[in-house]
Amino acid sequence: MAAGVKSKRQDELIILNVSGRRFQTWKNTLDRYPDTLLGSSEKEFFYNEETKEYFFDRDPDLFRSVLNFYRTGKLHYPQRMLSV
């Protein structure tokens, strides 16, 4: 088993519910940016104990780009978002 795979299994899987659409990512991915809402303890305010997920009332299509930033460190977003 590769070391990267083993460390991922030891990490905590985080579920983010963005206006009804669920996204999953690893806690250490969010921890890379501790000065942001998702990377800090501030996100605990949005945690739902019953569903075991964080809920945010935001645009889920745009959030896909935000989550990709946490994963890659680069912000890419659809061309159609430029006109919004």
Side-chain angles (χ1 to χ4, degrees):
M1 180 180 292
V5 174
K6 185 176 182 182
S7 66
K8 285 288 188 192
R9 289 192 178 164
Q10 293 173 351
D11 196 3
E12 180 182 351
L13 189 61
I14 301 290
I15 299 173
L16 305 164
N17 180 332
V18 182
S19 295
R21 194 173 305 165
R22 287 181 175 80
F23 298 85
Q24 295 181 351
T25 192
W26 297 107
K27 184 179 182 308
N28 71 355
T29 299
L30 301 178
D31 290 346
R32 291 180 195 162
Y33 299 95
D35 294 331
T36 65
L37 174 61
L38 295 177
S40 72
S41 61
E42 290 179 56
K43 72 179 170 292
E44 299 308 317
F45 178 76
F46 300 93
Y47 189 71
N48 183 325
E49 189 66 44
E50 290 179 22
T51 60
K52 306 293 186 207
E53 63 188 15
Y54 297 89
F55 178 81
F56 298 94
D57 186 17
R58 299 290 187 270
D59 182 338
D61 293 326
L62 188 57
F63 182 75
R64 187 176 309 278
S65 297
V66 171
L67 189 54
N68 192 50
F69 170 79
Y70 278 88
R71 291 177 176 152
T72 67
K74 296 180 182 182
L75 184 59
H76 300 278
Y77 50 91
Q79 185 70 24
R80 63 180 165 77
M81 292 295 182
L82 291 175
S83 61
V84 174

